[in-house]
Amino acid sequence: MLSFVKDKFVGWYTVQKNDTMWGIAQKFETTYQRLAAFNQIRNPEIIHTGQKIYIPEEIEYTIQRNDTLWALQVKYGTSYTIIANYNNIPDPSIIHTGTKIIIPKKG
């Protein structure tokens, strides 16, 4: 089931024969790295027909003074590890004011 929210489709996508993570990401205007991180797929080159891939709503956010990924996880209903992985943040305890990140949020 897919729904239309803020000009982005969000919901579950069922992998079809010959699909790739790159191709799926292109359909939903995101990157395969973000989809893999959000869905906790270790190797994005290995997906299977019938597999469900969650397509998250993506929110662009600019880090404010005193923000933490923990506080953002509470505010946006996701987890700080997903936010960190989604944005290639190696140490979730270190973020910088003014940095733009993408927060994946379940629609």
Side-chain angles (χ1 to χ4, degrees):
M1 167 181 274
L2 294 173
S3 59
F4 198 69
V5 175
K6 292 188 180 179
D7 298 322
K8 294 243 181 213
F9 286 100
V10 295
W12 292 102
Y13 176 80
T14 303
V15 175
Q16 305 298 310
K17 185 177 180 181
N18 299 321
D19 271 347
T20 64
M21 284 295 284
W22 185 87
I24 296 167
Q26 292 300 302
K27 288 179 189 176
F28 296 100
E29 299 177 8
T30 188
T31 67
Y32 76 88
Q33 295 94 334
R34 288 181 178 156
L35 285 182
F38 190 81
N39 287 278
Q40 300 176 344
I41 296 172
R42 292 183 192 270
N43 184 348
E45 293 182 15
I46 301 174
I47 58 173
H48 305 283
T49 300
Q51 182 176 349
K52 302 279 189 199
I53 305 290
Y54 190 79
I55 311 299
E57 175 183 359
E58 294 180 337
I59 300 165
E60 186 174 295
Y61 182 81
T62 302
I63 301 294
Q64 306 297 309
R65 184 176 177 184
N66 298 322
D67 272 345
T68 64
L69 293 188
W70 186 87
L72 293 174
Q73 83 176 352
V74 172
K75 181 176 181 178
Y76 291 103
T78 188
S79 82
Y80 76 90
T81 55
I82 287 174
I83 297 170
N85 290 339
Y86 212 71
N87 292 280
N88 297 316
I89 298 171
D91 184 345
S93 66
I94 301 173
I95 57 175
H96 303 284
T97 302
T99 301
K100 289 185 187 234
I101 62 171
I102 302 294
I103 300 175
K105 177 181 174 198
K106 290 189 176 182

